Amino acid sequence: MTRPSGGKLVLARFLLTAIGGALVAWSFQPLGLWWLGWVGVAILFVALLGRPSWRATVGLAVVWGFVTAMIALPWIAEFVGAMPYVALAVTLGLMQIPGVLLARYILGADLPWPVRAVGAAAAVLAGEALLARWPFGGFPWLRVGWGQLGGPLDDAAVLGGVALVGFLAALAAAGIASLVVKQWVTGVALILVPLAIGVVAQPATGDDVGTVRIAAVQGNVPRMGMEFNAQRRAVLENHADATRDLADRVRAGEEPKPDLVVWPENSSDVSPLTDAEAARIIDAAARDIDAPIIVGTFTYDDGVQNTMVLWDPETGPVDGQRHEKIYLQPFGETMPFRDLLRTITPLVDRAGDMTPGTGDGVIEVDRGAAGTIAMGIATCYEVVFDPAFRDAVNNGATILATPTNNATFGYTDMTYQQLAMSRMRAIEFDRAVVVAATSGVSAIVGPDGAVQQETEIFEQKVLTADLPLRDDLTIAARYGGAVEWAIVALAALALIGAVRRAMRAAAAGRETEHQQESHKER
């Protein structure tokens, strides 16, 4: 069998890379075929074998990221239109260049094959680590690890977070690629080792230090799409109505009174701290249910901030108990290069100009003799960032919540992808997670990552559950950041080894050439 040559070989590489990117996209929820993530990354590695030119490698990186983003992120177009959606996909393709170039260099190095295979897997995660931080604060939405939920590796999140899960998946992919090139021992080992780690990892093993009765309110919005922002008071009324319905059921003895009610992000776009009518509506709902409510609103102490505020049924907003969103969505809550981009499209003025918060990510609810509920908050987009819940847990959070507003994205995959992230965080930190969404999907997630209850999209519903409070710190909570940097260091070591081998080979080549010239002179 003859190998394709020249242009046909380059075309085959690009086709393989596009297929690989598509498979990774399909590993994400709601399709959630975790094993496609392994195959997709393996196909990328195969496309990088044989030392393709650096120009071709750059193209492969862009195709890889572009195809993944185009398939996984069409919900972006629901918010800002087709042009910004395509532009984001191109940007994410460009951001794959460093990691893919690194993987290609390591795979083409004069190193033992096992070192090259592991180094390439680490290179993929090194690229993800960069994208999680830069540009504009990062966009770690398409990490390979997110697609592993429901597979044999997701429990490893308790050991090293999403970075470790993604690295194990990349190792398994390197194992598949090893089998393709008939490196049988390495291939089998790189598949079995991640599986063994996934089996050995034991999530949700902490002891309960208490329980809490939680109500997650999904009030729904008057209608889908951007227009719902013009109906802010109606959204607030919806959440108050749903809370009053719960209070009626409690008084009727149909279910127990909650200790804490969680409303979603933007449940009160009309700030109750500046609008008396909004404050009255929330006061009435809190008194009716006779429980504190965590309300999603805006505060203006330091510019405009997306804030979750604790509202007591007797005293109203509780001083000091709020979470101002720290990790803001670029091109949504902030707009980089606003003046420049306004010359291209007026859509830039749909984006906000918000100020990030600086808090500890925890809202404490005093229950008197029953103890304190320390709820860690990651508002909507924040759940994608490792430090959001990690910092909250290390600051004492015993339960977690992801209040979110997904109404703008309609029936798209966005809400399911985000729910998967909350589930992975539950495993990672051994905490129950309450997902409260304006329009769905809201959910109650156990510390093992299992969804105990969930709503449909665009329905009004309240989820209630007795959930455990836990104060143990998992390995991921303590050392998750160090684990990610260790993976990056592994890629760096492989790169150093590859460079040293190349330098030695070059030096040996020069010495041989010198000896040949000397021999000719004699």
Side-chain angles (χ1 to χ4, degrees), residues 346-411:
L347 292 175
V348 297
D349 290 319
R350 289 188 178 182
D353 188 20
M354 296 185 186
T355 304
T358 57
D360 63 3
V362 179
I363 290 178
E364 294 186 349
V365 184
D366 186 2
R367 294 188 293 172
T372 298
I373 305 167
M375 175 165 276
I377 305 287
T379 305
C380 193
Y381 181 63
E382 289 188 303
V383 73
V384 78
F385 292 93
D386 294 343
F389 273 150
R390 183 189 298 148
D391 290 348
V393 168
N394 280 289
N395 286 321
T398 54
I399 189 170
L400 304 174
T402 308
T404 183
N405 175 19
N406 298 338
T408 300
F409 302 107
Y411 288 96

Side-chain angles (χ1 to χ4, degrees), residues 213-234:
R213 182 76 177 174
I214 291 285
V217 177
Q218 179 174 303
N220 207 0
V221 299
R223 61 177 184 264
M224 297 182 294
M226 289 293 294
E227 294 79 11
F228 96 96
N229 285 315
Q231 304 174 55
R232 298 176 297 170
R233 200 173 301 277

